[in-house]
Amino acid sequence: MNYKRYWLALTVVILGSFAVLGTVGRKMISQAPPIPDVYTADGQLLFTGSTITDGQGVWQSIGGQEIGTIWGHGAYVAPDWSADWLHRESSILLDTWAQREGAANFAAVNAEQQAVLKARLVATIRTNTYEADANRVTLSADRVAAYRQLAAYYADVFAAGRKEYAIPQGALTNTAKQQQLAAFFWWSAWATSTNRPGATVSYTNNWPHEPLVGNEPTSGAVLWSIVSVVCLIAGIGGLVWWNSAREKEVVHGPYPARDPFLGLQPTPSQRATIKYFLVVVILWGVQILMGAITAHYGVEGQGFYGIPLDKILPYAITRTWHLQIAIFWIATSWLATGLYVGPAVSGHEPKYQRLGVNVLFVALVLVVGGSLAGEWFGIQQKLGNLWFWFGAQGFEYVDLGRFWQILLFVGLVLWLFLMVRSLKPAFKKNIEDKSLLALFLVSSVAIPTFYAAGLMYGQRSHLVTAEYWRWWVVHLWVEGFFEVFATVVIAFLFTRLKLLEIRSATRATLFSTTIFLSGGIIGTFHHLYFTGSGPAVIALGSVFSALEVVPLTLIGYEAWENLRLARPTEKAPWIASYKWPIYFFVAVAFWNLVGAGVFGFLINPPVALYYMQGLNLTPVHGHTALFGVYGMLGLGLTLFCLRALQPARRWKEGMLKGAFWCINFGLIFMVVLSMFPIGLMQASASIEHGTWYARSAEFLQTPTMQFLRWMRVPGDVLFAAGAAMLGWFVLGLLTGHSFEKDSTRGAKMVEVEERELVAQ
């Protein structure tokens, strides 16, 4: 079959989308909020732009986005520091002016006087005094006094600690660094509230919601939210119409009578991947433990059931590890699957391939262990000025220090080299699946390429620059091309089992990849609505990210197809052996619709995200999409490869069945009983009072909110139980306790095989 038109469409989508992403991104960075020197009204230097940049480094070094948020990006226990500073400064100014009128504070004056003072506040805060030629901003005496008061307040927060913010005592005690941090917090709040030159909206498109200073959604946010919903409906209608009108074909024919993997001897490099899958399970267990501790800090603040754990593992570290380990184990499962599939596709084991797989494994262990240790030392302020290189960068999902980041990139390049050399012989054969093989290779090349985007900013880069490239890693690497890679891998596995026809699998994979990337690449902008961007980012991000949801509407069809593949027949009873790996793929389809589709689009329109950014509806989407889709996919691929490595041995499926349902229902309970209601209540508070209030201790420490936090326990316990069962099952594949007694093979042969597996 000729796939030329599919490749042409995919090429046009990729090239056109990246042209838009690059052009608009360059403009966004060039128009980022300036970093000025700040002067008092009488001409005295208050602090320099360099102090602000230094303060950003201080913020990153103590945890950055893992301890509160800036512009809505980060952790959810401590405040959003930009919204918090803005509200506190506004309140100080209003109280100061009211006291000059003879009142005790702003609340004590009558409504008419309050209206006058509010109007004065709006004029004061929103007027941009930036002088581009001199790169300076001038503050009134009242704003200078407010700055100094708040600088002292935040110095105390990080020196003395705050239980309600999960900030331990002594988080930051250096006086000079405290002053630098205050300058950065001021700048982040200033950018959210002062108007862009020649405009009536702030540098962050009026985010956060703060009624005191007139921060309300822009007309563009409202308009493009409506347009995005219309585009979503039109896209769904068009896709359903196309699916209904197209000629239905048989995507799988008569199944073979025996397992195609039966009798095939795994190559040395394929056997060497087993250790990767063991690491996947171990890292997943550690990540769950860190997640439980992190969630509990929201209740107890500075301890874990009375144990003063924050002295050793403060919130900033447990959350950093929780997110970073998630990326590690999910990526490891996919990379290991690629290493397994390569020789299976080509039927060729390159010389020294096993050595390469083992070297890559050592590099992986080094990066994981080294980066986690470095993050602990860095956040504990034990690395000095080396924090950026060997500690924690302070950005979500790319927290690891630059040295470890470079090592990981080198490891990915080595992985690509191993993939290419194992796939190369297949291209020399006259085989039907060359197009599928080519897409496999393209997606493999994209994995190290797009991870390299995380190296495009430096220690002193502007926050907008760092955020732009960070989302290339999170959205395009994790959510984009890794998903394409995994889709192709699944297609290869199913075609090798002869459950799918190569022609149908190739066409479906090329089409779905084109549809997904047509919205997914430019849709990266939906993470950047309020990150120092302009109106073009809101328009493009809202429309194209809505189109990302369109293909998910047919995900039920994919789920039922996978379920059908998992059903054994009289002529092919062996299919039952792959039931549970395929069930994990079905779970991927379910969570793709719920997590990425429903919960993703809930916070996707600009006007919705305006009120919800930085609130608990974001981790609702994060948990159900990141773990529900990519985590489940990693577990499914792990089980599939472990199954294919020993197709002749029957699994004891009771433990695996319990693990599957506990994991899925645990995730459901975690979301429905706790995170989702907390997020809804926060969204209501944000709409009514402002972002600062939805993130404040006054709101989050109420009995109702504490009760909802405790309601995570049932889901967490069930989820952890499922993980433990899955871990025990995988361990049993090495020890033998996860296999049924095999009467068709001698005990000695089984024993020899088990020793070989352990040795690998």
Side-chain angles (χ1 to χ4, degrees):
M1 180 177 179
N2 192 333
Y3 304 102
K4 186 177 294 184
R5 58 175 180 164
Y6 289 95
W7 279 106
L8 179 61
L10 180 59
T11 302
V12 169
V13 164
I14 291 176
L15 294 180
S17 296
F18 276 110
V20 173
L21 188 65
T23 301
V24 176
R26 182 179 180 183
K27 184 177 181 181
M28 170 185 161
I29 292 173
S30 68
Q31 296 180 349
I35 302 178
D37 300 328
V38 179
Y39 286 80
T40 64
D42 58 0
Q44 299 296 312
L45 178 65
L46 189 60
F47 52 83
T48 66
S50 180
T51 303
I52 295 172
T53 301
D54 290 339
Q56 178 181 320
V58 172
W59 165 71
Q60 290 176 242
S61 72
I62 62 175
Q65 291 176 336
E66 307 299 0
I67 183 166
T69 59
I70 292 287
W71 296 348
H73 295 301
Y76 308 100
V77 174
D80 180 273
W81 304 113
S82 42
D84 193 61
W85 183 291
L86 177 59
H87 183 77
R88 290 180 184 277
E89 181 182 2
S90 300
S91 298
I92 290 171
L93 291 176
L94 289 174
D95 284 340
T96 299
W97 296 337
Q99 288 165 3
R100 287 184 187 154
E101 299 294 328
N105 51 40
F106 176 71
V109 302
N110 60 45
E112 184 178 351
Q113 289 175 305
Q114 286 186 349
V116 172
L117 294 180
K118 283 182 180 179
R120 180 180 174 185
L121 177 68
V122 170
T124 300
I125 296 293
R126 300 201 71 86
T127 299
N128 193 340
T129 61
Y130 177 65
E131 302 170 40
D133 294 340
N135 189 37
R136 63 184 286 172
V137 163
T138 301
L139 298 182
S140 66
D142 289 337
R143 294 197 70 179
V144 170
Y147 167 81
R148 287 174 173 153
Q149 182 177 337
L150 287 175
Y153 165 75
Y154 287 108
D156 181 69
V157 167
F158 287 92
R162 288 292 188 277
K163 178 181 177 181
E164 59 271 23
Y165 296 163
I167 297 177
Q169 183 180 3
L172 184 67
T173 57
N174 184 288
T175 303
K177 290 184 177 181
Q178 290 172 349
Q179 291 299 315
Q180 293 166 351
L181 182 64
F184 172 66
F185 283 176
W186 172 87
W187 173 82
S188 72
W190 172 80
T192 67
S193 54
T194 194
N195 290 336
R196 281 184 181 271
T200 58
V201 299
S202 74
Y203 289 100
T204 59
N205 288 308
N206 285 355
W207 192 91
H209 181 220
E210 179 50 81
L212 289 179
V213 299
N215 263 12
E216 301 287 348
T218 64
S219 58
V222 177
L223 173 63
W224 288 108
S225 295
I226 297 172
V227 172
S228 71
V229 173
V230 173
C231 288
L232 175 63
I233 296 173
I236 291 173
L239 187 62
V240 171
W241 194 319
W242 169 84
N243 187 63
S244 301
R246 72 187 178 97
E247 181 181 354
K248 299 297 186 296
E249 61 178 338
V250 178
V251 295
H252 46 78
Y255 296 144
R258 66 194 298 268
D259 187 343
F261 285 115
L262 195 63
L264 297 179
Q265 290 297 320
T267 68
S269 70
Q270 287 179 318
R271 286 183 175 274
T273 62
I274 293 176
K275 62 176 74 71
Y276 285 78
F277 297 121
L278 290 177
V279 167
V280 166
V281 175
I282 293 170
L283 287 179
W284 183 37
V286 176
Q287 189 224 351
I288 292 172
L289 176 61
M290 291 300 107
I293 295 172
T294 301
H296 189 77
Y297 274 132
V299 176
E300 201 169 334
Q302 294 180 335
F304 188 72
Y305 294 100
I307 303 172
L309 194 61
D310 66 312
K311 298 183 183 301
I312 303 173
L313 290 176
Y315 176 91
I317 291 175
T318 61
R319 191 175 191 273
T320 297
W321 285 356
H322 179 62
L323 294 184
Q324 200 60 61
I325 292 174
I327 297 297
F328 281 145
W329 76 259
I330 292 172
T332 299
S333 67
W334 295 3
L335 297 177
T337 301
L339 294 173
Y340 171 82
V341 169
V345 169
S346 65
H348 173 70
E349 171 85 350
K351 192 175 182 180
Y352 302 122
Q353 182 78 354
R354 177 185 173 184
L355 175 62
V357 171
N358 288 333
V359 169
L360 181 60
F361 178 79
V362 173
L364 170 68
V365 172
L366 177 64
V367 169
V368 172
S371 65
L372 295 181
E375 286 158 1
W376 187 90
F377 282 103
I379 292 174
Q380 295 285 53
Q381 300 291 287
K382 297 181 183 296
L383 292 180
N385 292 328
L386 296 177
W387 62 268
F388 181 81
W389 285 92
F390 298 99
Q393 291 187 34
F395 293 119
E396 280 186 302
Y397 298 107
V398 285
D399 293 277
L400 70 173
R402 179 55 54 88
F403 174 77
W404 308 111
Q405 198 176 15
I406 292 172
L407 281 187
L408 180 55
F409 173 70
V410 172
L412 292 174
V413 172
L414 173 59
W415 171 83
L416 177 61
F417 171 74
L418 295 173
M419 291 295 298
V420 171
R421 70 195 302 262
S422 66
L423 293 172
K424 187 177 178 180
F427 283 98
K428 298 179 180 180
K429 299 178 182 178
N430 186 22
I431 55 177
E432 187 180 355
D433 58 355
K434 276 192 176 181
S435 277
L436 192 60
L437 191 62
L439 186 58
F440 189 18
L441 184 60
V442 169
S443 62
S444 298
V445 171
I447 288 174
T449 300
F450 285 98
Y451 184 76
L455 304 174
M456 298 300 290
Y457 59 88
Q459 182 172 345
R460 297 183 66 81
S461 292
H462 196 292
L463 182 60
V464 170
T465 302
E467 281 291 278
Y468 174 74
W469 289 111
R470 179 175 77 89
W471 284 111
W472 273 56
V473 177
V474 179
H475 187 84
L476 292 176
W477 185 65
V478 178
E479 300 179 14
F481 286 93
F482 246 131
E483 180 164 335
V484 173
F485 171 80
T487 301
V488 180
V489 166
I490 292 175
F492 265 120
L493 291 174
F494 280 165
T495 56
R496 285 298 175 272
L497 285 175
K498 303 187 184 303
L499 299 179
L500 291 178
E501 293 181 353
I502 292 176
R503 180 171 61 89
S504 301
T506 302
R507 188 164 69 175
T509 302
L510 282 168
F511 177 77
S512 62
T513 298
T514 303
I515 293 296
F516 172 72
L517 293 181
S518 64
I521 295 175
I522 300 177
T524 305
F525 282 132
H526 84 266
H527 299 285
L528 301 167
Y529 291 151
F530 313 117
T531 309
S533 58
V537 169
I538 287 183
L540 292 169
S542 60
V543 170
F544 281 89
S545 58
L547 295 178
E548 286 186 79
V549 182
V550 169
L552 301 181
T553 57
L554 296 181
I555 208 73
Y557 176 79
E558 176 188 334
W560 281 110
E561 281 298 306
N562 287 339
L563 279 173
R564 191 173 302 152
L565 295 177
R567 292 170 182 166
T569 64
E570 290 184 4
K571 295 183 178 181
W574 60 269
I575 295 176
S577 300
Y578 295 89
K579 172 183 176 180
W580 289 107
I582 294 176
Y583 266 45
F584 273 91
F585 296 152
V586 174
V588 170
F590 171 80
W591 289 111
N592 223 340
L593 176 61
V594 175
V598 177
F599 290 137
F601 192 73
L602 173 66
I603 62 174
N604 184 77
V607 73
L609 191 59
Y610 179 84
Y611 293 109
M612 298 175 185
Q613 178 152 297
L615 309 184
N616 273 269
L617 289 176
T618 302
V620 166
H621 165 59
H623 281 75
T624 54
L626 180 60
F627 175 79
V629 178
Y630 305 110
M632 287 289 189
L633 184 56
L635 296 177
L637 291 173
T638 295
L639 291 171
F640 206 111
C641 292
L642 292 174
R643 175 71 279 176
L645 281 166
Q646 296 174 293
R649 306 195 66 181
R650 290 177 295 169
W651 285 356
K652 291 181 179 178
E653 296 184 342
M655 189 68 71
L656 193 54
K657 178 180 180 180
F660 176 82
W661 291 114
C662 283
I663 291 168
N664 279 278
F665 277 104
L667 183 57
I668 290 172
F669 292 157
M670 190 188 309
V671 170
V672 173
L673 298 180
S674 182
M675 288 192 293
F676 188 65
I678 288 175
L680 286 181
M681 292 181 67
Q682 280 188 298
S684 177
S686 174
I687 294 169
E688 186 173 356
H689 300 291
T691 304
W692 72 273
Y693 181 70
R695 292 290 301 274
S696 68
E698 294 88 340
F699 179 72
L700 290 176
Q701 297 298 317
T702 59
T704 300
M705 299 301 282
Q706 291 291 75
F707 171 76
L708 288 174
R709 281 197 173 112
W710 277 110
M711 287 302 294
R712 271 196 64 161
V713 172
D716 286 353
V717 170
L718 192 60
F719 186 89
M725 285 189 280
L726 184 62
W728 180 252
F729 175 82
V730 171
L731 178 63
L733 296 180
L734 297 182
T735 64
H737 68 253
S738 292
F739 292 112
E740 299 283 359
K741 290 184 178 180
D742 194 343
S743 59
T744 64
R745 306 180 60 189
K748 184 175 180 180
M749 183 181 294
V750 173
E751 183 180 344
V752 170
E753 183 180 83
E754 289 170 356
R755 284 203 303 266
E756 289 178 351
L757 288 175
V758 173
Q760 299 301 323

